[in-house]
Each structure stands twice: as structure tokens, then as C-alpha cells.
Amino acid sequence: MTAVTVTVYKVTGMTCGHCEGAVTAELAALPGVTSVKAVAATGEVTVESRAPLSEDDVRAAVDEAGYELAGVAA
């Protein structure tokens, strides 16, 4: 079975379900991404992928959605 990489990112600016959907759609389009769960209330986005993602790619996708990547959640 292939290992799955799970990374939780902090995204600033999400306030509602529409925000969650926009961020989810952009991140889900990245190659290798298998699952995205965005939660506006916490500002956390959990991404499952087949391999670790480039932070630059994640930042670009979040930026395209209109939000800001604050980094990887501790």
C-alpha cells in the first residue's frame, strides 16, 4: 500500500463555507493530492497527498483562491 502524506496548513482569511470551498478546490487540483479538508473556524486545512507537496505550490494554490498561507500548523 502506498504511504499517504498528511499535512495541516494554517490559512488566514477563511471565514465561511465558500472560503473553505475555494481553498479546497485549488488545493485539490494539485498533482498527487487525494483529499482536502478546510475548516474556516480554525483556519486549518488538512491535505492528504501521495507525496510531500512543495510549499511554493501550496502557497500558490491558496493565493489563487484569494487567501494567505501562514505555514504548516504546529
Side-chain angles (χ1 to χ4, degrees), residues 31-49:
V33 172
T34 57
S35 171
V36 180
K37 171 105 174 96
V39 181
T42 62
E44 292 186 346
V45 181
T46 303
V47 179
E48 292 184 10
S49 55

Side-chain angles (χ1 to χ4, degrees), residues 8-67:
V8 180
Y9 298 97
K10 290 295 279 184
V11 175
T12 58
M14 293 191 303
T15 58
C16 64
H18 173 78
C19 302
E20 294 170 350
V23 171
T24 297
E26 290 296 335
L27 289 172
L30 292 176
V33 172
T34 57
S35 171
V36 180
K37 171 105 174 96
V39 181
T42 62
E44 292 186 346
V45 181
T46 303
V47 179
E48 292 184 10
S49 55
R50 289 191 277 280
L53 299 173
S54 150
E55 186 170 322
D56 288 342
D57 289 347
V58 173
R59 187 174 306 281
V62 170
D63 186 61
E64 183 66 28
Y67 306 93

